[in-house]
Amino acid sequence: MMFSELAGTLHQETIDSVLLRDNPLGDPHVRPLWVYTPPGYASTDERYPAIYVIQGYSGQVEMWGNRQAFRQPFLVTADQVFAQDHAPGCILVFVDAWTAYGGSQFVDSPGTGKYHSYLCDEVVPWVDARFRTIADRESRAISGKSSGGFGAMITPMLRPDLFGALATHAGDALYEYCYLNEFAKSARALREYDHDILKWWDDFRSRIALTKEHDMSLTLLLGCTAAFSADPDGTPRLPFDPRSGQIIPELWDRWLAWDPIRMIDRYTAELRSLRAVWIDAGTRDEWFLDLGAEAFNDGLNRIGLPPERVNFELFPASHGGIDYRYPLAVTWLAHRLQR
């Protein structure tokens, strides 16, 4: 995939992961990794801050090259940020965390594999060893949308040694609003499959994907279940009774433990140490992630993160089609990462 119009350079690399070998779903352990270097990188010895970019559910790294009608890909709009001197140069790292279920939620799980450790313990050192990054948490940010926004929120909490800034666009949060309604819809949809999501999964894999009404929502449910409430042997266990939809408290609690809103009080010191946080969401988000964004912003205010370190904004939009927001966050982060 070529981007000849870029002022910077896109390096399309692969990384051979030890941690993803023999993962539960048999997914490839050799993964694509795209690294963008800004204009001027090749003609200087300067070191640059890095922004790691992770994707929403069903995202694969090659999709960053997709063009939509009347819009440019994020690679191009991010490049324009630096080419037009809207912000000082940064290295951008586009990480692939695709699984057979469509995503990993960027956590370590017996149901999907060690994707959080892959990101933190393999990808970050790999990039630092091969590109002129400033290898310091004060010069490293993580950014994502939807499930990627969730990953961007939790990763600096879990690994404050690596990431000192984040941007979340409509990130999964406030789970009682973004997930419970989906559970009810899924329980209805599973009637066709004897209330068994694995029977649906067998059907899904036997035909052209995403050709039935509930395919995407059931894929998301299965993937999140594998990430959040899998048995030690990797078997995904739904957090609700698939016949009645009634919540199973001990499994639902495992999901709630990953809700970024509920994580705030467990990771107060880590969050207070952040140098920059971008939070945004559309006011018509179908998963009510605008409410999750409000709650995350409120939580940061409550624990005392200085307001000048936070950019919070709601804007008129639904969940999709908000890629024009990504370069705004890149610009904001680039001005605040240490150089």
Side-chain angles (χ1 to χ4, degrees):
M1 193 173 295
M2 301 298 292
F3 291 91
S4 57
E5 69 267 46
L6 295 180
T9 303
L10 179 65
H11 309 262
Q12 294 174 274
E13 308 282 352
T14 58
I15 178 170
D16 187 345
S17 169
V18 174
L19 291 171
L20 296 184
R21 289 180 185 170
D22 303 317
N23 63 77
L25 299 178
D27 290 316
H29 62 86
V30 177
R31 289 299 178 98
L33 184 70
W34 288 7
V35 181
Y36 164 88
T37 51
Y41 177 88
S43 59
T44 178
D45 293 330
E46 180 182 353
R47 291 190 170 270
Y48 294 83
I51 301 173
Y52 284 69
V53 183
I54 54 180
Q55 290 171 302
Y57 211 85
S58 78
Q60 294 177 273
V61 73
E62 291 89 350
M63 294 168 69
W64 287 119
N66 292 348
R67 291 186 179 274
Q68 301 178 53
F70 308 111
R71 288 196 184 181
Q72 296 172 311
F74 174 47
L75 276 168
V76 175
T77 58
D79 178 67
Q80 291 169 354
V81 167
F82 305 120
Q84 297 173 9
D85 292 326
H86 296 313
C90 289
I91 292 171
L92 304 182
V93 183
F94 298 88
V95 181
D96 181 78
W98 169 267
T99 72
Y101 291 152
S104 68
Q105 294 300 97
F106 309 97
V107 302
D108 288 351
S109 167
T112 52
K114 296 181 178 180
Y115 284 88
H116 187 262
S117 294
Y118 165 66
L119 166 63
C120 294
D121 297 332
E122 291 189 323
V123 174
V124 170
W126 191 96
V127 171
D128 285 344
R130 291 163 176 80
F131 293 88
R132 294 196 315 277
T133 60
I134 303 172
D136 186 275
R137 57 100 62 182
E138 301 297 315
S139 304
R140 191 183 292 117
I142 185 166
S143 176
K145 183 246 180 168
S146 194
S147 288
F150 161 77
M153 283 187 276
I154 67 165
T155 299
M157 296 193 219
L158 300 173
R159 293 300 301 269
D161 57 313
L162 293 181
F163 293 96
L166 70 90
T168 174
H169 304 281
D172 298 2
L174 212 59
Y175 283 8
E176 59 265 51
Y177 292 137
C178 74
Y179 284 132
L180 284 179
N181 193 43
E182 296 300 312
F183 293 171
K185 294 176 184 177
S186 296
R188 286 178 171 174
L190 289 174
R191 288 170 178 161
E192 185 180 342
Y193 300 96
D194 298 324
H195 313 282
D196 186 344
I197 196 167
L198 294 181
K199 285 188 177 180
W200 164 80
W201 180 241
D202 288 341
D203 172 60
F204 180 82
R205 291 184 296 171
S206 73
R207 56 179 168 82
I208 297 174
L210 306 178
T211 54
K212 291 189 176 181
E213 179 183 0
H214 299 290
D215 277 354
M216 193 64 241
S217 59
L218 289 174
T219 301
L220 178 61
L221 172 64
L222 179 56
C224 287
T225 299
F228 297 147
S229 56
D231 285 339
D233 67 359
T235 303
R237 296 187 63 202
L238 295 178
F240 60 90
D241 184 309
R243 186 176 300 274
S244 68
Q246 293 182 89
I247 293 298
I248 302 172
E250 61 269 25
L251 296 177
W252 177 229
D253 285 347
R254 292 173 62 184
W255 285 55
L256 291 179
W258 282 111
D259 183 348
I261 308 309
R262 290 167 170 84
M263 293 175 70
I264 289 172
D265 288 329
R266 303 203 307 272
Y267 294 96
T268 297
E270 291 83 355
L271 289 168
R272 282 182 185 147
S273 76
L274 293 173
R275 65 185 297 122
V277 179
W278 173 286
I279 309 165
D280 70 9
T283 54
R284 302 188 306 274
D285 190 284
E286 295 87 337
W287 285 272
F288 302 99
L289 297 173
D290 49 326
L291 301 181
E294 288 268 21
F296 192 60
N297 181 54
D298 287 349
L300 296 181
N301 287 336
R302 175 174 55 80
I303 65 171
L305 184 65
E308 63 271 17
R309 298 187 197 173
V310 180
N311 184 90
F312 170 68
E313 184 179 351
L314 299 182
F315 53 93
S318 56
H319 191 66
I322 63 171
D323 51 292
Y324 65 94
R325 304 288 304 181
Y326 307 166
L328 302 179
V330 165
T331 303
W332 195 82
L333 289 172
H335 281 291
R336 287 159 178 82
L337 292 173
Q338 183 171 279
R339 295 179 178 271

